[in-house]
Coordinates of all heavy atoms in Angstrom, one line a residue:
M1112 N 19.5 -7.0 25.2 CA 19.0 -5.8 24.5 C 18.9 -4.7 25.4 O 18.5 -4.8 26.6 CB 17.6 -6.1 23.9 CG 17.1 -5.1 22.9 SD 15.5 -5.4 22.2 CE 15.9 -6.6 21.0
T1113 N 19.4 -3.5 25.0 CA 19.4 -2.4 25.9 C 18.0 -1.8 26.0 O 17.2 -2.0 25.1 CB 20.4 -1.3 25.4 OG1 20.0 -0.9 24.1 CG2 21.8 -1.9 25.3
R1114 N 17.9 -1.0 27.0 CA 16.6 -0.3 27.2 C 16.3 0.6 26.0 O 15.1 0.7 25.5 CB 16.6 0.5 28.5 CG 15.3 1.2 28.7 CD 15.5 2.0 30.0 NE 14.5 3.1 30.0 CZ 13.7 3.3 30.9 NH1 13.7 2.6 32.0 NH2 12.8 4.3 30.9
N1115 N 17.2 1.4 25.6 CA 17.0 2.3 24.4 C 16.7 1.6 23.2 O 15.8 2.0 22.4 CB 18.3 3.1 24.2 CG 18.0 4.4 23.4 OD1 16.9 4.8 23.2 ND2 19.1 4.9 22.9
S1116 N 17.3 0.5 22.9 CA 17.0 -0.3 21.7 C 15.6 -0.9 21.8 O 14.9 -0.9 20.8 CB 18.0 -1.5 21.6 OG 17.7 -2.3 20.5
S1117 N 15.2 -1.4 22.9 CA 13.9 -1.9 23.2 C 12.8 -0.8 23.0 O 11.8 -1.1 22.3 CB 13.8 -2.5 24.5 OG 12.5 -3.0 24.8
S1118 N 13.1 0.3 23.5 CA 12.2 1.5 23.3 C 12.0 1.9 21.9 O 10.9 2.2 21.4 CB 12.7 2.6 24.2 OG 11.9 3.8 24.0
T1119 N 13.1 1.9 21.1 CA 13.1 2.3 19.7 C 12.3 1.2 18.9 O 11.5 1.6 18.1 CB 14.5 2.4 19.2 OG1 15.3 3.3 19.9 CG2 14.6 2.7 17.7
K1120 N 12.5 0.0 19.2 CA 11.8 -1.1 18.5 C 10.3 -1.0 18.8 O 9.4 -1.1 17.9 CB 12.3 -2.5 18.9 CG 11.6 -3.6 18.2 CD 12.3 -4.9 18.5 CE 11.6 -6.0 17.7 NZ 12.2 -7.3 17.9
K1121 N 9.9 -0.7 20.0 CA 8.5 -0.5 20.4 C 7.9 0.7 19.7 O 6.8 0.6 19.1 CB 8.3 -0.4 21.9 CG 6.9 -0.3 22.4 CD 6.8 -0.2 23.9 CE 5.5 -0.1 24.5 NZ 4.3 0.0 23.7
T1122 N 8.6 1.7 19.6 CA 8.1 2.9 18.9 C 7.9 2.7 17.5 O 6.9 3.0 16.9 CB 9.1 4.1 19.1 OG1 9.3 4.4 20.5 CG2 8.6 5.4 18.5
K1123 N 8.9 2.0 16.8 CA 8.8 1.6 15.4 C 7.6 0.7 15.2 O 6.8 0.9 14.2 CB 10.1 0.9 15.0 CG 10.1 0.6 13.5 CD 11.4 0.0 13.1 CE 11.4 -0.3 11.6 NZ 12.6 -1.0 11.2
T1124 N 7.4 -0.2 16.1 CA 6.2 -1.1 15.9 C 4.9 -0.4 16.1 O 4.0 -0.6 15.3 CB 6.3 -2.3 17.0 OG1 7.5 -3.0 16.8 CG2 5.1 -3.2 16.9
D1125 N 4.9 0.5 17.0 CA 3.7 1.4 17.2 C 3.4 2.2 16.0 O 2.2 2.4 15.6 CB 3.8 2.2 18.5 CG 3.8 1.4 19.8 OD1 3.3 0.3 19.8 OD2 4.2 2.0 20.8
L1126 N 4.4 2.8 15.5 CA 4.3 3.7 14.3 C 3.8 2.8 13.1 O 2.9 3.3 12.3 CB 5.6 4.4 13.9 CG 6.0 5.5 14.8 CD1 7.4 6.0 14.5 CD2 5.0 6.6 14.8
T1127 N 4.3 1.6 12.9 CA 3.8 0.8 11.9 C 2.4 0.4 12.0 O 1.6 0.5 11.0 CB 4.7 -0.5 11.8 OG1 6.1 -0.2 11.7 CG2 4.3 -1.5 10.7
K1128 N 1.9 0.1 13.2 CA 0.5 -0.2 13.5 C -0.4 1.0 13.2 O -1.4 0.9 12.6 CB 0.3 -0.6 14.9 CG 0.9 -2.0 15.2 CD 0.6 -2.5 16.6 CE 1.2 -3.9 16.8 NZ 0.9 -4.4 18.1
V1129 N 0.1 2.2 13.5 CA -0.7 3.4 13.2 C -0.8 3.6 11.7 O -1.9 3.9 11.2 CB 0.0 4.7 13.9 CG1 -0.6 6.0 13.4 CG2 -0.2 4.6 15.4
E1130 N 0.3 3.4 11.0 CA 0.3 3.6 9.6 C -0.6 2.5 8.9 O -1.3 2.8 7.9 CB 1.7 3.6 9.0 CG 2.6 4.7 9.4 CD 2.0 6.1 9.1 OE1 1.4 6.2 7.9 OE2 2.0 7.0 9.9
L1131 N -0.6 1.3 9.4 CA -1.4 0.3 8.8 C -2.9 0.6 9.1 O -3.8 0.4 8.2 CB -1.1 -1.1 9.4 CG 0.2 -1.7 8.9 CD1 0.6 -2.9 9.7 CD2 0.1 -2.1 7.4
K1132 N -3.2 1.1 10.2 CA -4.6 1.5 10.6 C -5.0 2.7 9.6 O -6.2 2.6 9.1 CB -4.6 2.0 12.0 CG -6.0 2.3 12.5 CD -6.0 2.6 14.0 CE -7.5 2.9 14.4 NZ -7.5 3.1 15.9
K1133 N -4.2 3.6 9.3 CA -4.5 4.7 8.4 C -4.8 4.1 7.0 O -5.8 4.5 6.4 CB -3.4 5.7 8.3 CG -3.2 6.6 9.5 CD -2.1 7.6 9.3 CE -1.8 8.4 10.5 NZ -0.6 9.3 10.2
L1134 N -3.9 3.2 6.5 CA -4.1 2.6 5.2 C -5.5 1.9 5.2 O -6.2 2.0 4.2 CB -3.0 1.6 4.9 CG -1.8 2.1 4.3 CD1 -0.7 1.0 4.2 CD2 -2.0 2.7 2.9
K1135 N -5.7 1.1 6.2 CA -7.0 0.3 6.2 C -8.2 1.3 6.2 O -9.2 1.0 5.5 CB -7.0 -0.5 7.5 CG -8.3 -1.4 7.5 CD -8.3 -2.2 8.8 CE -9.6 -3.0 8.8 NZ -9.8 -3.7 10.0
S1136 N -8.1 2.4 6.8 CA -9.2 3.3 6.8 C -9.6 3.9 5.5 O -10.7 4.4 5.3 CB -9.0 4.4 7.9 OG -8.0 5.3 7.4
I1137 N -8.6 3.9 4.5 CA -8.9 4.5 3.2 C -9.1 3.5 2.1 O -9.4 3.9 1.0 CB -7.8 5.5 2.8 CG1 -6.4 4.8 2.7 CG2 -7.7 6.7 3.7 CD1 -5.3 5.7 2.1
L1138 N -9.0 2.2 2.5 CA -9.2 1.2 1.5 C -10.6 0.8 1.5 O -11.1 0.3 2.5 CB -8.3 0.0 1.8 CG -6.8 0.2 1.6 CD1 -6.0 -0.9 2.2 CD2 -6.4 0.4 0.2
P1139 N -11.3 1.0 0.4 CA -12.8 0.7 0.3 C -13.1 -0.7 0.7 O -14.1 -0.9 1.4 CB -13.1 0.9 -1.1 CG -12.1 1.8 -1.7 CD -10.8 1.5 -0.9
T1140 N -12.3 -1.7 0.3 CA -12.7 -3.1 0.6 C -12.4 -3.5 2.1 O -12.9 -4.5 2.6 CB -11.9 -4.1 -0.3 OG1 -10.5 -3.8 -0.2 CG2 -12.4 -3.9 -1.7
L1141 N -11.5 -2.7 2.8 CA -11.2 -3.1 4.2 C -11.8 -2.1 5.2 O -11.7 -2.4 6.4 CB -9.7 -3.2 4.3 CG -8.9 -4.2 3.5 CD1 -7.5 -4.2 3.8 CD2 -9.5 -5.6 3.8
K1142 N -12.3 -1.0 4.7 CA -12.8 0.0 5.6 C -13.7 -0.5 6.7 O -13.7 -0.2 7.9 CB -13.4 1.1 4.8 CG -13.6 2.4 5.6 CD -14.3 3.4 4.7 CE -13.3 4.1 3.8 NZ -13.9 5.3 3.1
Q1143 N -14.7 -1.3 6.3 CA -15.7 -1.8 7.2 C -15.4 -3.2 7.8 O -16.2 -3.7 8.6 CB -17.1 -1.9 6.4 CG -17.5 -0.6 5.9 CD -17.7 0.5 7.0 OE1 -18.1 0.2 8.0 NE2 -17.3 1.7 6.7
K1144 N -14.3 -3.8 7.4 CA -13.9 -5.1 7.9 C -13.4 -4.9 9.3 O -12.4 -4.2 9.5 CB -12.9 -5.7 6.9 CG -12.6 -7.2 7.3 CD -11.7 -7.8 6.2 CE -11.3 -9.2 6.6 NZ -10.3 -9.8 5.7
P1145 N -13.9 -5.7 10.3 CA -13.4 -5.5 11.7 C -12.0 -5.8 11.9 O -11.3 -5.1 12.6 CB -14.3 -6.5 12.5 CG -15.2 -7.1 11.5 CD -14.9 -6.7 10.1
T1146 N -11.5 -6.9 11.3 CA -10.1 -7.2 11.5 C -9.4 -7.6 10.2 O -10.0 -8.1 9.3 CB -9.9 -8.4 12.4 OG1 -10.6 -9.5 11.9 CG2 -10.4 -8.1 13.8
S1147 N -8.1 -7.2 10.1 CA -7.3 -7.5 8.9 C -5.9 -7.7 9.4 O -5.4 -6.9 10.3 CB -7.4 -6.3 7.9 OG -8.7 -6.1 7.5
T1148 N -5.2 -8.6 8.8 CA -3.8 -8.8 9.1 C -3.0 -7.7 8.4 O -3.4 -7.2 7.4 CB -3.3 -10.2 8.7 OG1 -3.4 -10.3 7.2 CG2 -4.1 -11.3 9.3
P1149 N -1.8 -7.4 8.9 CA -0.9 -6.5 8.2 C -0.7 -6.8 6.7 O -0.7 -6.0 5.9 CB 0.3 -6.5 9.0 CG -0.1 -6.9 10.4 CD -1.2 -7.8 10.2
I1150 N -0.5 -8.1 6.5 CA -0.2 -8.5 5.1 C -1.4 -8.3 4.2 O -1.3 -7.9 3.1 CB 0.3 -10.0 5.0 CG1 1.0 -10.3 3.7 CG2 -0.8 -11.0 5.3 CD1 2.3 -9.6 3.5
E1151 N -2.6 -8.5 4.7 CA -3.8 -8.3 4.0 C -3.9 -6.8 3.6 O -4.3 -6.4 2.5 CB -5.1 -8.6 4.8 CG -5.4 -10.1 4.9 CD -6.6 -10.4 5.8 OE1 -6.6 -9.9 6.9 OE2 -7.4 -11.1 5.3
I1152 N -3.6 -5.9 4.6 CA -3.7 -4.5 4.3 C -2.7 -4.1 3.3 O -3.0 -3.3 2.4 CB -3.4 -3.7 5.7 CG1 -4.6 -4.0 6.7 CG2 -3.3 -2.2 5.4 CD1 -4.3 -3.5 8.1
V1153 N -1.5 -4.6 3.3 CA -0.5 -4.2 2.4 C -0.8 -4.7 1.0 O -0.8 -4.0 0.0 CB 0.9 -4.7 2.8 CG1 1.9 -4.6 1.7 CG2 1.4 -4.0 4.0
L1154 N -1.3 -6.0 0.9 CA -1.6 -6.5 -0.4 C -2.9 -5.8 -1.0 O -2.9 -5.5 -2.2 CB -1.9 -8.0 -0.3 CG -0.7 -8.9 0.0 CD1 -1.0 -10.3 0.2 CD2 0.4 -8.8 -1.1
E1155 N -3.8 -5.5 -0.2 CA -5.0 -4.7 -0.7 C -4.6 -3.3 -1.1 O -5.1 -2.8 -2.1 CB -6.1 -4.7 0.4 CG -7.3 -4.0 0.0 CD -8.0 -4.6 -1.3 OE1 -7.8 -5.8 -1.6 OE2 -8.7 -3.9 -2.0
T1156 N -3.7 -2.7 -0.4 CA -3.2 -1.4 -0.8 C -2.5 -1.5 -2.2 O -2.8 -0.6 -3.0 CB -2.1 -0.9 0.3 OG1 -2.8 -0.8 1.5 CG2 -1.6 0.5 -0.2
I1157 N -1.7 -2.5 -2.4 CA -1.1 -2.6 -3.7 C -2.1 -2.8 -4.8 O -2.1 -2.2 -5.8 CB -0.1 -3.8 -3.7 CG1 1.1 -3.5 -2.8 CG2 0.4 -4.2 -5.1 CD1 2.0 -4.7 -2.4
R1158 N -3.1 -3.7 -4.5 CA -4.2 -3.9 -5.5 C -4.9 -2.6 -5.8 O -5.2 -2.3 -6.9 CB -5.1 -5.0 -5.0 CG -6.2 -5.4 -6.0 CD -7.4 -6.2 -5.4 NE -8.2 -5.3 -4.6 CZ -9.0 -4.3 -5.1 NH1 -9.1 -4.1 -6.4 NH2 -9.7 -3.6 -4.3
Y1159 N -5.2 -1.9 -4.8 CA -6.0 -0.6 -4.9 C -5.2 0.4 -5.7 O -5.7 1.1 -6.6 CB -6.4 -0.1 -3.5 CG -7.3 1.1 -3.6 CD1 -8.6 1.0 -4.2 CD2 -7.0 2.3 -3.0 CE1 -9.4 2.1 -4.2 CE2 -7.8 3.4 -3.0 CZ -9.0 3.3 -3.6 OH -9.9 4.4 -3.7
I1160 N -3.9 0.5 -5.4 CA -3.1 1.5 -6.2 C -3.0 1.1 -7.6 O -3.1 1.9 -8.5 CB -1.7 1.6 -5.5 CG1 -1.7 2.3 -4.2 CG2 -0.7 2.3 -6.5 CD1 -0.5 2.2 -3.4
R1161 N -2.9 -0.2 -7.9 CA -2.9 -0.7 -9.3 C -4.2 -0.3 -10.0 O -4.2 0.1 -11.2 CB -2.6 -2.2 -9.3 CG -1.2 -2.5 -9.1 CD -1.0 -4.0 -9.1 NE 0.4 -4.3 -8.9 CZ 0.9 -5.5 -8.5 NH1 0.0 -6.5 -8.4 NH2 2.2 -5.7 -8.3
Q1162 N -5.3 -0.5 -9.3 CA -6.6 -0.2 -9.8 C -6.7 1.3 -10.2 O -7.1 1.7 -11.3 CB -7.7 -0.6 -8.9 CG -9.1 -0.3 -9.3 CD -10.1 -0.5 -8.2 OE1 -9.8 -1.0 -7.1 NE2 -11.4 -0.2 -8.5
L1163 N -6.2 2.1 -9.3 CA -6.3 3.6 -9.5 C -5.3 4.0 -10.7 O -5.7 4.8 -11.5 CB -5.8 4.3 -8.2 CG -6.8 4.2 -7.0 CD1 -6.2 4.9 -5.8 CD2 -8.1 4.9 -7.4
E1164 N -4.2 3.3 -10.7 CA -3.2 3.5 -11.8 C -3.9 3.2 -13.1 O -3.8 4.0 -14.1 CB -2.0 2.7 -11.6 CG -1.0 2.9 -12.7 CD 0.2 1.9 -12.6 OE1 -0.1 0.7 -12.2 OE2 1.3 2.3 -12.8
N1165 N -4.6 2.1 -13.2 CA -5.2 1.7 -14.5 C -6.3 2.6 -14.8 O -6.5 2.9 -16.0 CB -5.8 0.2 -14.3 CG -4.6 -0.8 -14.4 OD1 -3.6 -0.5 -14.9 ND2 -4.9 -1.9 -13.7
Q1166 N -7.1 3.1 -13.9 CA -8.1 4.1 -14.2 C -7.5 5.4 -14.7 O -8.0 6.0 -15.7 CB -8.9 4.4 -12.9 CG -9.8 3.3 -12.5 CD -10.5 3.6 -11.1 OE1 -10.4 4.7 -10.6 NE2 -11.3 2.6 -10.6
L1167 N -6.4 5.8 -14.2 CA -5.7 7.0 -14.6 C -5.2 6.8 -16.1 O -5.4 7.7 -16.9 CB -4.6 7.4 -13.7 CG -3.9 8.7 -13.9 CD1 -4.8 9.9 -13.8 CD2 -2.7 8.8 -12.9
I1168 N -4.6 5.7 -16.3 CA -4.1 5.4 -17.7 C -5.3 5.4 -18.7 O -5.1 5.9 -19.8 CB -3.4 4.0 -17.7 CG1 -2.1 4.2 -16.9 CG2 -3.1 3.5 -19.1 CD1 -1.4 2.9 -16.6
D1169 N -6.4 4.8 -18.3 CA -7.5 4.7 -19.2 C -8.0 6.2 -19.5 O -8.4 6.5 -20.6 CB -8.7 3.9 -18.6 CG -8.4 2.4 -18.6 OD1 -7.5 2.0 -19.3 OD2 -9.1 1.7 -17.8
R1170 N -8.0 7.0 -18.5 CA -8.4 8.4 -18.8 C -7.5 9.1 -19.7 O -7.9 9.8 -20.6 CB -8.5 9.2 -17.4 CG -9.6 8.9 -16.6 CD -9.7 9.8 -15.4 NE -10.7 9.3 -14.5 CZ -10.9 9.8 -13.3 NH1 -10.1 10.8 -12.8 NH2 -11.8 9.3 -12.5
F1171 N -6.2 8.9 -19.6 CA -5.2 9.5 -20.5 C -5.4 8.9 -21.9 O -5.3 9.7 -22.9 CB -3.8 9.3 -20.0 CG -3.4 10.3 -19.0 CD1 -3.0 9.9 -17.7 CD2 -3.4 11.7 -19.2 CE1 -2.6 10.8 -16.7 CE2 -3.0 12.6 -18.3 CZ -2.6 12.2 -17.0
Q1172 N -5.6 7.7 -22.0 CA -5.7 7.0 -23.3 C -7.0 7.5 -24.0 O -7.0 7.5 -25.3 CB -5.6 5.5 -23.2 CG -4.2 5.0 -22.8 CD -4.1 3.6 -22.6 OE1 -5.1 2.9 -22.3 NE2 -2.9 3.0 -22.6
T1173 N -8.0 7.7 -23.3 CA -9.3 8.1 -24.0 C -9.4 9.6 -24.2 O -10.3 10.1 -24.9 CB -10.5 7.6 -23.2 OG1 -10.4 8.2 -21.8 CG2 -10.5 6.1 -23.1
D1174 N -8.5 10.4 -23.6 CA -8.5 11.8 -23.7 C -7.9 12.2 -25.1 O -6.8 12.1 -25.3 CB -7.7 12.5 -22.6 CG -7.8 14.0 -22.6 OD1 -8.5 14.6 -23.5 OD2 -7.2 14.6 -21.7
T1175 N -8.8 12.7 -26.0 CA -8.3 13.0 -27.3 C -7.6 14.3 -27.4 O -6.9 14.6 -28.4 CB -9.5 13.1 -28.3 OG1 -10.4 14.1 -27.8 CG2 -10.2 11.7 -28.5
S1176 N -7.6 15.1 -26.3 CA -6.9 16.4 -26.3 C -5.5 16.2 -25.9 O -4.7 17.2 -25.9 CB -7.6 17.4 -25.5 OG -7.6 17.0 -24.1
L1177 N -5.1 15.0 -25.4 CA -3.8 14.8 -25.0 C -2.8 14.8 -26.2 O -3.0 14.1 -27.1 CB -3.7 13.4 -24.3 CG -2.4 13.1 -23.5 CD1 -2.3 14.2 -22.3 CD2 -2.5 11.8 -22.9
S1178 N -1.8 15.7 -26.1 CA -0.9 15.9 -27.3 C 0.1 14.7 -27.5 O 0.5 14.4 -28.6 CB -0.2 17.2 -27.2 OG 0.6 17.2 -26.0
V1179 N 0.5 14.1 -26.4 CA 1.5 13.0 -26.5 C 0.9 11.8 -25.9 O 0.4 11.8 -24.8 CB 2.8 13.4 -25.7 CG1 3.8 12.2 -25.8 CG2 3.4 14.7 -26.2
P1180 N 0.9 10.7 -26.7 CA 0.3 9.4 -26.1 C 1.0 9.0 -24.9 O 2.2 9.2 -24.7 CB 0.6 8.4 -27.3 CG 0.9 9.2 -28.5 CD 1.4 10.5 -28.0
F1181 N 0.3 8.5 -24.0 CA 0.8 8.0 -22.7 C 1.1 6.5 -22.8 O 0.4 5.6 -22.4 CB -0.3 8.2 -21.6 CG 0.1 8.0 -20.2 CD1 0.9 8.9 -19.6 CD2 -0.2 6.9 -19.5 CE1 1.4 8.8 -18.3 CE2 0.2 6.7 -18.2 CZ 1.0 7.6 -17.6
T1182 N 2.3 6.3 -23.4 CA 2.7 4.9 -23.7 C 3.8 4.4 -22.9 O 3.9 3.2 -22.5 CB 3.0 4.7 -25.2 OG1 4.0 5.6 -25.5 CG2 1.8 4.9 -26.1
S1183 N 4.8 5.3 -22.5 CA 5.9 4.8 -21.7 C 5.6 5.1 -20.3 O 5.4 6.3 -19.9 CB 7.2 5.5 -22.1 OG 7.2 6.9 -21.8
R1184 N 5.5 4.1 -19.5 CA 5.2 4.3 -18.1 C 5.8 3.1 -17.3 O 6.1 2.0 -17.9 CB 3.7 4.3 -17.8 CG 3.0 3.0 -18.2 CD 1.6 3.1 -17.9 NE 0.9 2.0 -18.4 CZ 0.7 0.8 -17.8 NH1 1.2 0.7 -16.6 NH2 0.1 -0.2 -18.3
T1185 N 6.0 3.3 -16.0 CA 6.5 2.2 -15.2 C 5.3 1.9 -14.3 O 4.8 2.7 -13.5 CB 7.6 2.7 -14.3 OG1 8.7 3.1 -15.1 CG2 8.1 1.6 -13.4
S1186 N 4.8 0.7 -14.4 CA 3.7 0.3 -13.7 C 4.1 -0.4 -12.4 O 5.2 -0.9 -12.3 CB 2.9 -0.8 -14.5 OG 2.0 -1.4 -13.7
L1187 N 3.2 -0.2 -11.4 CA 3.5 -0.9 -10.1 C 3.6 -2.4 -10.3 O 4.3 -3.1 -9.6 CB 2.4 -0.6 -9.1 CG 2.5 0.8 -8.5 CD1 1.3 1.0 -7.6 CD2 3.8 1.1 -7.8
S1188 N 2.8 -2.9 -11.2 CA 2.9 -4.3 -11.5 C 4.2 -4.8 -12.1 O 4.5 -6.0 -12.0 CB 1.7 -4.8 -12.4 OG 1.8 -4.1 -13.6
D1189 N 5.0 -3.8 -12.6 CA 6.3 -4.2 -13.1 C 7.3 -4.3 -12.0 O 8.4 -4.8 -12.2 CB 6.8 -3.1 -14.1 CG 5.9 -3.1 -15.4 OD1 5.2 -4.1 -15.7 OD2 5.8 -2.0 -16.0
M1190 N 7.0 -3.7 -10.9 CA 7.9 -3.7 -9.8 C 7.8 -5.0 -9.0 O 6.7 -5.6 -8.8 CB 7.7 -2.6 -8.8 CG 7.8 -1.2 -9.5 SD 7.4 0.0 -8.2 CE 7.5 1.5 -9.2
S1191 N 8.9 -5.5 -8.5 CA 8.8 -6.7 -7.7 C 8.5 -6.4 -6.2 O 8.9 -5.3 -5.8 CB 10.1 -7.5 -7.7 OG 11.2 -6.7 -7.2
T1192 N 7.9 -7.2 -5.5 CA 7.6 -7.0 -4.1 C 8.7 -7.4 -3.3 O 9.2 -8.6 -3.4 CB 6.3 -7.7 -3.7 OG1 5.2 -7.3 -4.6 CG2 5.9 -7.4 -2.3
D1193 N 9.2 -6.6 -2.4 CA 10.3 -6.9 -1.5 C 9.7 -7.8 -0.4 O 9.0 -7.4 0.5 CB 10.9 -5.6 -0.9 CG 12.1 -5.9 -0.1 OD1 12.4 -7.1 0.2 OD2 12.7 -4.9 0.4
S1194 N 10.1 -9.1 -0.4 CA 9.6 -10.0 0.5 C 10.0 -9.7 2.0 O 9.3 -10.0 2.9 CB 9.9 -11.5 0.1 OG 11.4 -11.6 0.1
S1195 N 11.2 -9.1 2.1 CA 11.6 -8.8 3.5 C 10.8 -7.7 4.1 O 10.5 -7.8 5.3 CB 13.1 -8.4 3.5 OG 13.3 -7.2 2.7
L1196 N 10.3 -6.8 3.3 CA 9.4 -5.8 3.7 C 8.1 -6.4 4.2 O 7.6 -6.1 5.3 CB 9.1 -4.7 2.7 CG 8.0 -3.7 3.0 CD1 8.5 -2.8 4.1 CD2 7.8 -2.8 1.7
L1197 N 7.5 -7.3 3.4 CA 6.3 -8.0 3.7 C 6.5 -8.8 5.0 O 5.6 -8.9 5.8 CB 5.8 -8.8 2.6 CG 5.4 -8.1 1.3 CD1 5.0 -9.0 0.2 CD2 4.3 -7.1 1.6
Q1198 N 7.6 -9.4 5.1 CA 7.9 -10.2 6.3 C 7.9 -9.3 7.6 O 7.3 -9.6 8.6 CB 9.2 -10.9 6.2 CG 9.6 -11.8 7.4 CD 8.6 -13.0 7.5 OE1 8.1 -13.5 6.5 NE2 8.3 -13.4 8.7
D1199 N 8.6 -8.2 7.5 CA 8.6 -7.2 8.6 C 7.2 -6.8 9.0 O 6.9 -6.7 10.1 CB 9.5 -6.0 8.3 CG 11.0 -6.3 8.2 OD1 11.4 -7.4 8.7 OD2 11.7 -5.5 7.6
I1200 N 6.4 -6.5 8.0 CA 5.1 -6.0 8.2 C 4.2 -7.1 8.9 O 3.5 -6.8 9.8 CB 4.4 -5.5 6.9 CG1 5.1 -4.2 6.5 CG2 2.9 -5.2 7.1 CD1 4.8 -3.8 5.1
S1201 N 4.3 -8.3 8.4 CA 3.5 -9.4 9.0 C 3.9 -9.7 10.4 O 3.1 -10.3 11.1 CB 3.6 -10.6 8.1 OG 4.9 -11.1 8.1
N1202 N 5.1 -9.3 10.8 CA 5.5 -9.5 12.2 C 5.1 -8.4 13.2 O 5.5 -8.5 14.3 CB 7.0 -9.7 12.3 CG 7.5 -11.0 11.6 OD1 6.8 -11.9 11.6 ND2 8.7 -11.0 11.1
T1203 N 4.3 -7.5 12.8 CA 3.8 -6.4 13.7 C 2.6 -6.8 14.5 O 2.2 -6.0 15.3 CB 3.6 -5.1 12.9 OG1 2.5 -5.3 12.0 CG2 4.8 -4.6 12.3
D1204 N 2.1 -7.9 14.3 CA 0.9 -8.3 15.1 C 1.2 -8.5 16.5 O 2.2 -8.9 17.0 CB 0.3 -9.7 14.5 CG -0.6 -9.4 13.3 OD1 -1.0 -8.2 13.2 OD2 -0.9 -10.3 12.6

């Protein structure tokens, strides 16, 4: 492996760790937890986004002033999880 390639990989790994730390800091269930694995952070992020999405949908559905029903949507739960992405993230420890 060349020095440049090694440096690029280290930088990418460092950036991933920084981003995971940012995510963890905004997730209510992980904010106070001392340690979390990268996969826990990603899965909790997905769960939290789905929860927020459902809350938003509920608000639209209960809003009687909304002129067009909010029925056609693409939910995060409809999307498949890319296992290779999760594998890459879990290897940042």
Side-chain angles (χ1 to χ4, degrees):
M1112 191 179 282
T1113 65
R1114 178 186 159 128
N1115 195 17
S1116 177
S1117 178
S1118 175
T1119 302
K1120 185 174 181 178
K1121 183 176 178 1
T1122 302
K1123 185 177 178 183
T1124 300
D1125 290 344
L1126 287 173
T1127 301
K1128 286 181 180 182
V1129 168
E1130 294 303 319
L1131 285 168
K1132 186 175 179 178
K1133 285 180 187 178
L1134 271 176
K1135 183 180 176 185
S1136 74
I1137 62 172
L1138 294 168
T1140 55
L1141 296 181
K1142 196 183 277 190
Q1143 301 300 322
K1144 190 175 176 185
T1146 59
S1147 299
T1148 65
I1150 195 73
E1151 285 176 309
I1152 296 169
V1153 171
L1154 292 174
E1155 183 58 23
T1156 300
I1157 292 168
R1158 189 198 66 74
Y1159 186 59
I1160 291 171
R1161 285 179 179 160
Q1162 177 186 358
L1163 293 174
E1164 178 188 39
N1165 287 333
Q1166 288 175 4
L1167 186 61
I1168 290 167
D1169 287 345
R1170 284 186 190 173
F1171 278 120
Q1172 288 176 341
T1173 58
D1174 185 1
T1175 57
S1176 65
L1177 193 61
S1178 59
V1179 178
F1181 191 73
T1182 56
S1183 68
R1184 64 181 172 86
T1185 301
S1186 170
L1187 287 175
S1188 57
D1189 296 334
M1190 297 179 186
S1191 63
T1192 304
D1193 183 354
S1194 61
S1195 64
L1196 173 65
L1197 294 176
Q1198 183 64 32
D1199 289 345
I1200 292 168
S1201 66
N1202 288 334
T1203 61
D1204 278 341

